[in-house]
């Protein structure tokens, strides 16, 4: 056990260093419960399988943020408010037109989400109406931002939301300029439910740390978007497709894995800090992919993915490394005609619900996050003149 002097000059103590805060509870929460051994995930006590089957993304968003399923009138009001706030100010659209087309959509999303703080600068985080309005604006506008950049980077003008389309159908419409098939919209809505919340993952922890300084919710969301973008977190779904293309055919899956494991390469879409079995979301996403394949035709890449999962089981299963949420999600989005570099922005569209739930919960019992460190640097040095160095 390390002996060290903690910063506020208390007596030396021996606290174990926990890189990445693994296993360290840093808050109490009532939003999401994960059983990583059983492979069980619940939002506010409801299983994700039941929510994915019976709920909608907006109903699940309400549940995550305010703790209970909405009444019919609450849901109607929430849906109406979101529908009314989907549009972006022309200033945001014009700002996005200055972004380089080659930029990654996650960087475009982080910049445009942060810009909302300029338009809604009043900060009244102790006012429930301010909180409700900020939730509505972010849930409503984030999808419009993702779709807008997609059209802008193709040299087109973004198209306005369609008020006659529900949330998920409208997003697919703004993205593809075509009204989606009802099955495609339903499957997409279920994907949003599955990605909406996952306790203290890296981006949600970022959100809570940022929220604990009492800054505005737009900065909280921008901070979380930047964190989600990393390939070890939300960015993995994009890299899984690149990996499946590299493997090419199912019979080459074993060879690919042996080479990757030998070179200590992380297999994208596998492994999880919490789950030591297959991520329950991966199994549900697999069933969504199969539903789409049955209707719209198969994706050969699915056989490669299943072969990789089968070959990884004896190689990585003993270490508790199984497919996570990112392993099959990209195959669903491909079948929906969504470009690969939009997979993580779509993850962000969904996870805004969880980030806002944690923002609200952090404010309800706030203490600014400020962990300590074990100092390993130089001590008591004096400045030397340039000629003496
Ligand atoms: C998400 O936290 C969340 O909840 C995240 C998320 C959410 O909903 O918010 O679930 C979404 O981010 C899913 C994860 C997406 N990322 C990937 O698929 C990238 C590949 N996965 C790994 O980088 C890794 O599994 C992590 C980052 C997901 C978890 O890493 P940990 O818990 O820090 O584990 P580790 O890196 O310390 O690895 C422990 C051991 C190591 O082996 P040893 O050095 O002990 O011999 O397991 C090995 C690692 O090499 N390992 C892997 C591996 N993941 C862990 N080996 C090969 N391939 C992998 N994917």
């Amino acid at each position: 056990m390390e002996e060290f002097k903690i910063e506020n000059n208390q007596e030396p103590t021996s606290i174990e260093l926990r890189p990445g805060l693994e296993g360290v509870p840093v808050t109490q929460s009532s939003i999401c419960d994960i059983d990583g051994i059983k492979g069980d995930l619940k939002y506010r006590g409801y299983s994700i399988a039941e929510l994915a089957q019976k709920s909608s993304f907006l109903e699940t968003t309400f549940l995550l943020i305010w703790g209970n399923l909405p009444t019919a009138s609450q849901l109607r009001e929430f849906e109406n408010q979101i529908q009314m706030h989907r549009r972006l100010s022309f200033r945001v659209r014009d700002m996005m037109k200055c972004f380089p087309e080659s930029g990654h959509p996650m960087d475009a999303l982080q910049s445009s989400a942060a810009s909302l703080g300029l338009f809604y600068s009043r900060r009244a985080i102790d006012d429930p109406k301010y909180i409700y309005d900020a939730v509505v604006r972010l849930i409503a506008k984030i999808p419009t931002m993702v779709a807008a950049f997609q059209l802008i980077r193709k040299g087109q003008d973004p198209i306005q939301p369609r008020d006659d389309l529900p949330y998920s159908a409208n997003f697919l419409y703004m993205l593809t300029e075509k009204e989606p098939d009802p099955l495609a919209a339903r499957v997409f809505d279920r994907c949003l439910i599955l990605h909406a919340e996952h306790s203290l993952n890296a981006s949600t922890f970022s959100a809570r740390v940022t929220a604990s300084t009492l800054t505005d919710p737009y900065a909280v969301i921008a901070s979380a978007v930047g964190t989600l973008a990393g390939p070890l977190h939300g960015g993995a779904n994009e890299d899984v497709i690149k990996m499946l293309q590299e493997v090419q055919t199912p019979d080459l899956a074993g060879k690919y894995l042996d080479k990757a494991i030998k070179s200590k390469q992380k297999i994208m879409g596998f492994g999880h800090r919490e789950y030591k079995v297959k991520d329950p979301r991966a199994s549900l996403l697999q069933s969504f992919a199969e539903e789409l394949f049955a209707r719209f035709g198969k994706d050969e890449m699915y056989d490669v993915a299943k072969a990789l999962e089968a070959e990884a089981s004896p190689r990585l299963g003993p270490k508790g490394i199984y497919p996570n949420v990112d392993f099959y999600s990209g195959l669903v989005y491909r079948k929906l005609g969504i470009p690969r570099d939009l997979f993580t922005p779509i993850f962000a569209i969904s996870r805004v619900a969880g980030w806002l739930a944690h923002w609200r919960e952090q404010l309800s019992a706030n203490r600014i996050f400020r962990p300590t460190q074990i100092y390993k640097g130089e001590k008591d040095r004096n400045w030397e003149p340039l000629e003496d160095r």
Side-chain angles (χ1 to χ4, degrees):
M1 207 72 102
E2 288 273 338
E3 283 290 330
F4 70 102
K5 205 165 169 41
I6 53 180
E7 285 171 332
N8 51 11
N9 296 321
Q10 278 176 356
E11 282 308 307
T13 177
S14 55
I15 297 179
E16 190 187 339
L17 179 69
R18 305 296 290 271
L21 288 176
E22 179 158 10
V24 177
V26 292
T27 190
Q28 295 187 93
S29 179
S30 322
I31 301 169
C32 169
D33 191 14
I34 299 172
D35 183 327
I37 306 302
K38 286 194 200 133
D40 193 43
L41 173 58
K42 287 193 174 68
Y43 296 164
R44 300 283 189 181
Y46 294 87
S47 88
I48 50 153
E50 186 175 24
L51 291 171
Q53 198 198 340
K54 299 176 183 169
S55 186
S56 68
F57 173 63
L58 289 186
E59 181 182 78
T60 299
T61 297
F62 189 101
L63 168 67
L64 285 167
I65 295 171
W66 284 286
N68 293 302
L69 288 171
T71 61
S73 62
Q74 285 173 328
L75 182 57
R76 207 172 25 256
E77 173 61 12
F78 191 52
E79 288 171 340
N80 291 343
Q81 284 296 319
I82 284 167
Q83 188 210 77
M84 277 162 40
H85 288 85
R86 286 170 172 171
R87 286 166 178 73
L88 302 177
S89 150
F90 76 91
R91 294 172 191 271
V92 174
R93 287 203 310 274
D94 288 356
M95 174 189 75
M96 294 180 82
K97 286 176 185 167
C98 299
F99 293 166
E101 295 80 3
S102 57
H104 194 286
M106 279 299 274
D107 294 322
L109 179 58
Q110 187 178 28
S111 311
S112 31
S115 76
L116 290 177
L118 293 158
F119 297 88
Y120 309 107
S121 51
R122 174 178 165 265
R123 197 178 292 168
I125 49 182
D126 51 357
D127 171 0
K129 179 161 180 353
Y130 171 84
I131 289 179
Y132 185 88
D133 291 347
V135 164
V136 165
R137 285 190 194 111
L138 283 157
I139 296 290
K141 295 183 189 302
I142 294 283
T144 311
M145 289 173 175
V146 173
F149 185 65
Q150 171 60 3
L151 267 63
I152 287 169
R153 69 175 177 173
K154 292 196 302 186
Q156 294 168 236
D157 253 341
I159 57 177
Q160 290 294 4
R162 262 187 46 187
D163 295 342
D164 62 324
L165 291 177
Y167 191 86
S168 288
N170 173 63
F171 171 71
L172 292 173
Y173 162 72
M174 292 190 295
L175 189 72
T176 64
E177 302 173 86
K178 289 195 301 296
E179 192 172 326
D181 177 285
L183 174 65
R186 179 69 193 122
V187 167
F188 183 79
D189 201 66
R190 286 183 186 148
C191 289
L192 295 184
I193 291 173
L194 289 190
H195 285 83
E197 160 61 9
H198 210 244
S199 84
L200 276 198
N201 57 85
S203 55
T204 300
F205 184 54
S206 279
R208 287 197 83 130
V209 171
T210 310
S212 76
T213 68
L214 304 186
T215 185
D216 65 80
Y218 311 102
V220 169
I221 296 304
S223 160
V225 171
T227 309
L228 184 71
L232 291 189
H233 188 14
N237 52 20
E238 200 182 319
D239 290 344
V240 167
I241 298 298
K242 284 182 204 157
M243 172 177 71
L244 296 177
Q245 284 165 336
E246 243 180 85
V247 175
Q248 291 177 16
T249 56
D251 58 306
L252 295 175
K255 195 163 159 237
Y256 175 88
L257 281 171
D258 289 337
K259 188 164 168 262
I261 293 168
K262 193 158 178 272
S263 60
K264 289 234 174 266
Q265 193 188 317
K266 292 278 169 60
I267 315 299
M268 289 293 119
F270 278 81
H272 202 280
R273 178 66 60 79
E274 296 283 327
Y275 292 118
K276 301 310 161 198
V277 291
K278 184 171 179 179
D279 187 327
R281 298 168 295 177
S283 306
L284 287 165
L285 285 159
Q286 238 178 306
S287 66
F288 299 169
E290 288 169 1
E291 208 177 336
L292 291 176
F293 297 153
R295 166 76 78 76
F296 304 115
K298 193 146 173 235
D299 179 346
E300 293 315 312
M301 219 176 250
Y302 183 51
D303 291 333
V304 179
K306 284 195 292 182
L308 260 178
E309 179 178 359
E311 295 287 353
S313 181
R315 294 169 169 88
L316 297 170
K319 289 174 83 172
I321 299 167
Y322 291 93
N324 59 46
V325 66
D326 288 312
F327 189 60
Y328 288 107
S329 56
L331 290 168
V332 177
Y333 299 146
R334 261 167 66 90
K335 196 40 100 178
L336 294 175
I338 293 168
R340 189 172 69 199
D341 66 0
L342 290 186
F343 294 175
T344 311
I346 284 170
F347 195 151
I349 288 174
S350 167
R351 191 52 60 88
V352 172
W355 294 332
L356 289 169
H358 283 270
W359 168 59
R360 198 170 163 268
E361 187 174 72
Q362 183 65 33
L363 294 181
S364 67
N366 187 45
R367 184 150 195 261
I368 191 166
F369 279 95
R370 206 293 185 202
T372 185
Q373 64 170 15
I374 294 174
Y375 179 65
K376 307 283 282 178
E378 302 284 346
K379 294 195 177 152
D380 308 326
R381 296 203 284 177
N382 297 310
W383 183 84
E384 303 94 11
L386 207 53
E387 59 274 17
D388 296 346
R389 289 177 209 162

